[in-house]
Amino acid sequence: MFPSTSYNVGSLIKFTIRKDRIRIPLWLIGIIFFTVLIPVALDDMFPTQEERDVMAETMANPAMTAMVGPGDIENYTIGAMTTHNMLLFTAVVVGLMSILLVIRHTRTEEEDGLSELILALPVGRLANLNATLFVLTVTHIILALISGFSLYALGLDSMDLEGSLLYGAVLGGTGIFFTGIAAVSAQISESSRGATGLSIAALLLAYFIRAIGDVSNETLSLFSPLGLVTRTEAYSTNVWWPVLLLAGFSALLFLLANYLNAIRDWGAAFLHARAGKTYASRFLQTPIGLFFRTQRTAFISWGIGMFVLGLSYGSIMGDLESFFQGNELLEQMLVAEEGYSLTEQFIPALMIVMGILATVPPIIAMNKLIGEEKKNRTESILAAPVSRGKLMASNLAIAVMNGFIMISLSGIGLFLAAETVMEDGFSFGMIYGASLVFYPAMLVMISFSAFLIGFAPKLTGLIWVYVVFSFITNYLGGLLDFPAWVEKLSPFGYIPSLPVENMEWAPIVMLSLIAIILAILGFIGYQKRDIAG
């Protein structure tokens, strides 16, 4: 490649930073906040080595190894516990951040025609790609340094400087690796949706290869970047070579992305979408059929993910009694009620996590409406005999159905796994009811998203702030000593904690009415505002 292909990359670096001046800092703040919060919470929950050893025994089973990877069970300090429980999951989130940001600045802008405007300026063909790679690389270096020094600044005995810097370096290295994966995917797929799906598929494949390898064959785990993450053993043996491998593979991916970008036609890709049918079916000719078709792949992927999440949670329920017994701080997460086992008391805590996570895909489905509008595709649909109300109702129906299926799959997965590992399992009705009771709260979140689309389309991102707020207040509120009223600021704070509390229909009816009102207001706003937003 000639030097001119990256001409004026410096200007595009500044432009990329300008476009993401809010998005990148928010990602960094969120990741660093939880990275620092977790060891402090673990230190409060497990103040003695005896309690940490009990935790280690609980984690030393194939199900937990498949979920979080291997850990230093023999020397289960706060540092080792933090690495074992959080490093892998945090690395997955960092990888997801990289994928979303890279695709946004590459294939999405190319798909929307924005890259052509940039190429009309005196810039090289590869300048935009390399500007994106540079900004994301620097972002992950900053993440690594701030995370590492912040963890060391906590002053916990087992969290020394080397281990803290290694912890941060692993997060940064993972982010840079998946930056390369996303950059290559952006060249291979001809759509932003396809590139994102391909990148996330690579992330999930890396997770499952690691999970299988950690349980059955350690060598297999080394073929996964996430397997390399767990081999660093931060705060234990502090192994650095996996980070160097991640850096080396990242450099190769960067070179490959540049090469593929240089040899392909602009707007083209190496994987072409297969030709569709000559004539669309009756269902596809309707708005609801069109929305379902465009979201089908994401729908299936999320469904599998929620089912696996339920299986993962259910697989640990056979060991929960010994895990919680005698730990007062950890028992704050439970809904204390006489006559119920600790396992039963922990079910509401599991359900709140699954309920909030199950809210994510239907909100994505609902926001698809505003996404199509921003890409100027809505006018094409409305040019046909389709009203705005029918268009929004179709998208809302897809989102509502999506949410019901997601929470159902998670509850079914939990029941099936719990039935396998427990001697005296729970009834299907009890588990499914404890999960489905969160559905009205999910409907409120979906309807709130519809309300924002109708009245404040530029502020639809606020729904994600509300989702994160709901998770922090309702799941971590007990550990962080939040006042009870704070939980009530989220619809999830009104859900009865089945099975240890009696079913209360009043809040369920109230949430359902709120969801209906918000949806109706969203319809009104959407019909009156300009489609251009």
Side-chain angles (χ1 to χ4, degrees):
M1 289 172 287
F2 301 98
S4 59
T5 57
S6 292
Y7 178 71
N8 232 347
V9 67
S11 298
L12 288 183
I13 288 174
K14 296 178 183 177
F15 184 50
T16 302
I17 295 173
R18 176 76 173 79
K19 289 186 290 185
D20 274 347
R21 66 189 184 280
I22 296 177
R23 186 174 282 102
I24 288 178
L26 287 178
W27 271 105
L28 292 179
I29 290 171
I31 292 171
I32 292 170
F33 173 77
F34 280 103
T35 298
V36 175
L37 175 67
I38 294 302
V40 174
L42 290 176
D43 189 48
D44 288 336
M45 289 189 291
F46 304 95
T48 67
Q49 189 58 47
E50 289 76 13
E51 292 175 316
R52 294 192 284 269
D53 289 339
V54 172
M55 173 72 163
E57 292 177 5
T58 302
M59 300 295 288
N61 66 74
M64 295 307 300
T65 300
M67 189 185 304
V68 300
D72 188 4
I73 301 298
E74 300 299 325
N75 185 31
Y76 217 52
T77 61
I78 291 298
M81 186 184 300
T82 300
T83 298
H84 190 202
N85 287 272
M86 289 305 303
L87 180 57
L88 179 62
F89 287 140
T90 309
V92 170
V93 173
V94 173
L96 182 62
M97 174 189 77
S98 303
I99 290 169
L100 296 178
L101 291 177
V102 171
I103 300 300
R104 177 174 180 268
H105 288 297
T106 53
R107 178 52 71 172
T108 299
E109 292 189 351
E110 188 172 342
E111 186 180 26
D112 294 342
L114 298 178
S115 296
E116 292 185 47
L117 297 177
I118 295 176
L119 285 176
L121 301 172
V123 297
R125 176 186 175 88
L126 303 179
N128 187 57
L129 172 62
N130 286 317
T132 300
L133 296 178
F134 180 84
V135 170
L136 267 293
T137 299
V138 172
T139 296
H140 290 110
I141 291 174
I142 293 173
L143 172 65
L145 293 174
I146 296 179
S147 297
F149 284 112
S150 297
L151 289 171
Y152 178 66
L154 295 176
L156 300 177
D157 292 338
S158 58
M159 301 179 69
D160 57 6
L161 179 60
E162 182 183 3
S164 298
L165 292 178
L166 176 58
Y167 194 105
V170 173
L171 296 181
T174 305
I176 294 173
F177 178 86
F178 282 101
T179 294
I181 290 289
V184 172
S185 298
Q187 315 310 315
I188 294 176
S189 179
E190 67 178 1
S191 69
S192 58
R193 186 171 66 245
T196 302
L198 193 61
S199 301
I200 293 178
L203 179 62
L204 294 175
L205 181 62
Y207 184 87
F208 286 121
I209 290 176
R210 177 216 55 80
I212 295 171
D214 285 345
V215 174
S216 59
N217 188 340
E218 292 186 4
T219 303
L220 180 62
S221 293
L222 298 179
F223 288 92
S224 165
L226 298 180
L228 295 176
V229 167
T230 60
R231 293 304 181 276
T232 55
E233 299 182 2
Y235 299 119
S236 298
T237 56
N238 292 330
V239 180
W240 283 87
W241 63 262
V243 178
L244 299 179
L245 274 181
L246 285 174
F249 286 130
S250 300
L252 294 177
L253 289 170
F254 283 18
L255 291 174
L256 178 60
N258 273 270
Y259 174 72
L260 294 177
N261 196 331
I263 64 174
R264 70 177 174 87
D265 292 333
W266 200 253
F270 293 94
L271 287 181
H272 302 286
R274 60 174 182 159
K277 296 180 180 179
T278 304
Y279 301 100
S281 65
R282 282 182 172 272
F283 181 63
L284 186 57
Q285 294 179 46
T286 63
I288 192 171
L290 178 62
F291 279 120
F292 179 77
R293 178 63 183 86
T294 58
Q295 301 179 42
R296 183 178 60 185
T297 302
F299 182 85
I300 295 173
S301 301
W302 273 102
I304 295 173
M306 292 307 302
F307 182 71
V308 171
L309 177 68
L311 289 175
S312 301
Y313 280 154
S315 66
I316 66 173
M317 296 187 73
D319 297 321
L320 286 179
E321 290 290 335
S322 60
F323 180 47
F324 282 100
Q325 194 70 46
N327 192 312
E328 296 181 0
L329 284 172
L330 200 56
E331 288 177 0
Q332 291 180 18
M333 299 174 63
L334 306 180
V335 180
E337 189 73 26
E338 293 185 4
Y340 291 91
S341 66
L342 292 175
T343 302
E344 290 174 308
Q345 294 175 45
F346 189 56
I347 287 177
L350 294 179
M351 292 302 179
I352 188 66
V353 176
M354 295 197 302
I356 293 177
L357 287 178
T359 307
V360 173
I363 290 178
I364 293 176
M366 190 66 231
N367 284 346
K368 184 73 173 177
L369 185 62
I370 196 69
E372 295 297 297
E373 181 178 332
K374 289 179 179 178
K375 293 180 179 179
N376 299 318
R377 295 171 179 165
T378 304
E379 292 91 337
S380 300
I381 301 176
L382 293 177
V386 176
S387 66
R388 291 191 184 188
K390 186 176 182 180
L391 184 65
M392 189 174 201
S394 300
N395 205 71
L396 182 61
I398 291 292
V400 169
M401 178 189 69
N402 188 315
F404 178 79
I405 293 177
M406 294 304 154
I407 192 64
S408 296
L409 287 174
S410 62
I412 293 171
L414 190 147
F415 167 76
L416 292 176
E419 187 72 10
T420 302
V421 300
M422 298 181 68
E423 294 182 2
D424 298 319
F426 302 120
S427 68
F428 174 76
M430 187 267 278
I431 294 294
Y432 187 66
S435 60
L436 197 61
V437 73
F438 284 91
Y439 187 54
M442 297 169 60
L443 292 178
V444 171
M445 303 296 274
I446 295 169
S447 296
F448 180 53
S449 181
F451 175 82
L452 291 175
I453 291 173
F455 284 93
K458 294 182 179 179
L459 299 178
T460 51
L462 288 177
I463 188 64
W464 299 116
V465 177
Y466 198 26
V467 171
V468 173
F469 172 81
S470 298
F471 177 80
I472 294 175
T473 56
N474 288 275
Y475 182 65
L476 300 176
L479 294 176
L480 301 177
D481 294 326
F482 286 161
W485 63 267
V486 175
E487 295 183 11
K488 300 299 183 182
L489 296 177
S490 164
F492 293 94
Y494 293 89
I495 301 299
S497 299
L498 302 182
V500 298
E501 291 182 354
N502 294 326
M503 180 62 188
E504 297 181 14
W505 289 101
I508 301 301
V509 173
M510 177 192 69
L511 291 174
S512 300
L513 289 175
I514 291 174
I516 293 173
I517 292 171
L518 286 173
I520 292 174
L521 291 175
F523 272 98
I524 295 173
Y526 188 70
Q527 290 177 322
K528 290 185 176 182
R529 73 171 175 83
D530 293 335
I531 286 299

